[in-house]
Amino acid sequence: MNKSKQFVVFFLDNQKYALSLPDVKRAVRAVEITSLPEAPEIVSGVINIQGLITPVINIRKRFRLQEKEIDPKDRFIIADTSKRLVVLMVDEVEGVIESKSQEIVTGEKILPGMEYVEGVLKLEDGIVFIHDLSRFLSLEEDQKLDDAMVKKLKHKLSE
């Protein structure tokens, strides 16, 4: 039996990336980000999502892509990791694709050492890097983010 998976495809520059559809809550227009002192380098800050202070991950830094200012056309993908809700800054969201599991080449075979890459999918118009959000932050980055979020919350409560 060929089990299929669904993915949300997005762009950074001209490269396609994807997240597992069950992890994605929704995509929204980019908004202003509030800084989060002492957060890991790949965290640009936080935004408020229906009363929940949510970290914004700058995946350009993780992928070592050129930085750019947020553009009104940019999108945020709101997604669940195994630990928390996060927001990913992306250029554009293309939509949802479906693929059979056997069509996906595991990340270790193509990009050793990039544990946050779940796999690679070849499409007619190029390749798509599929990312595993549960492994996106290192343990150290995750702990640093926890500490920064606690400090932000305490500061907000003391205002």
Side-chain angles (χ1 to χ4, degrees):
M1 185 166 144
N2 294 335
K3 187 177 179 188
S4 67
K5 291 184 166 187
Q6 292 183 312
F7 300 97
V8 173
V9 177
F10 61 91
F11 283 93
L12 288 174
D13 295 333
N14 293 319
Q15 177 59 53
K16 288 184 180 184
Y17 299 89
L19 298 171
S20 179
L21 180 61
D23 295 340
V24 176
K25 297 295 182 197
R26 67 183 181 266
V28 298
R29 289 182 192 268
V31 296
E32 187 176 340
I33 299 170
T34 302
S35 68
L36 183 62
E38 300 178 40
E41 186 180 337
I42 68 165
V43 176
S44 293
V46 293
I47 63 171
N48 183 331
I49 300 174
Q50 298 173 332
L52 181 65
I53 303 302
T54 309
V56 178
I57 309 292
N58 183 344
I59 53 180
R60 287 179 168 279
K61 286 186 178 181
R62 172 63 75 223
F63 302 155
R64 295 184 179 103
L65 298 173
Q66 184 174 348
E67 292 291 313
K68 71 175 198 108
E69 293 292 319
I70 293 178
D71 185 280
K73 298 181 302 188
D74 291 343
R75 295 288 183 257
F76 285 168
I77 295 177
I78 301 167
D80 268 326
T81 68
S82 55
K83 187 170 181 179
R84 68 172 53 100
L85 194 66
V86 295
V87 176
L88 303 177
M89 299 176 4
V90 304
D91 296 343
E92 180 184 341
V93 177
E94 183 177 72
V96 177
I97 61 169
E98 191 166 331
S99 177
K100 303 225 181 318
S101 295
Q102 72 270 16
E103 296 173 338
I104 300 168
V105 178
T106 60
E108 303 89 51
K109 290 183 180 177
I110 294 184
L111 301 165
M114 295 181 77
E115 51 281 335
Y116 49 84
V117 175
E118 182 179 320
V120 177
L121 178 62
K122 186 172 184 327
L123 301 176
E124 288 181 16
D125 60 345
I127 61 171
V128 177
F129 292 100
I130 303 166
H131 293 280
D132 181 351
L133 280 178
S134 66
R135 296 186 290 180
F136 202 75
L137 294 174
S138 69
L139 290 174
E140 181 182 324
E141 289 170 330
D142 197 49
Q143 185 59 54
K144 195 172 178 181
L145 178 56
D146 281 345
D147 295 345
M149 294 288 288
V150 166
K151 284 182 182 179
K152 182 75 169 178
L153 183 60
K154 284 182 181 178
H155 177 73
K156 189 168 179 71
L157 291 173
S158 68
E159 290 178 342

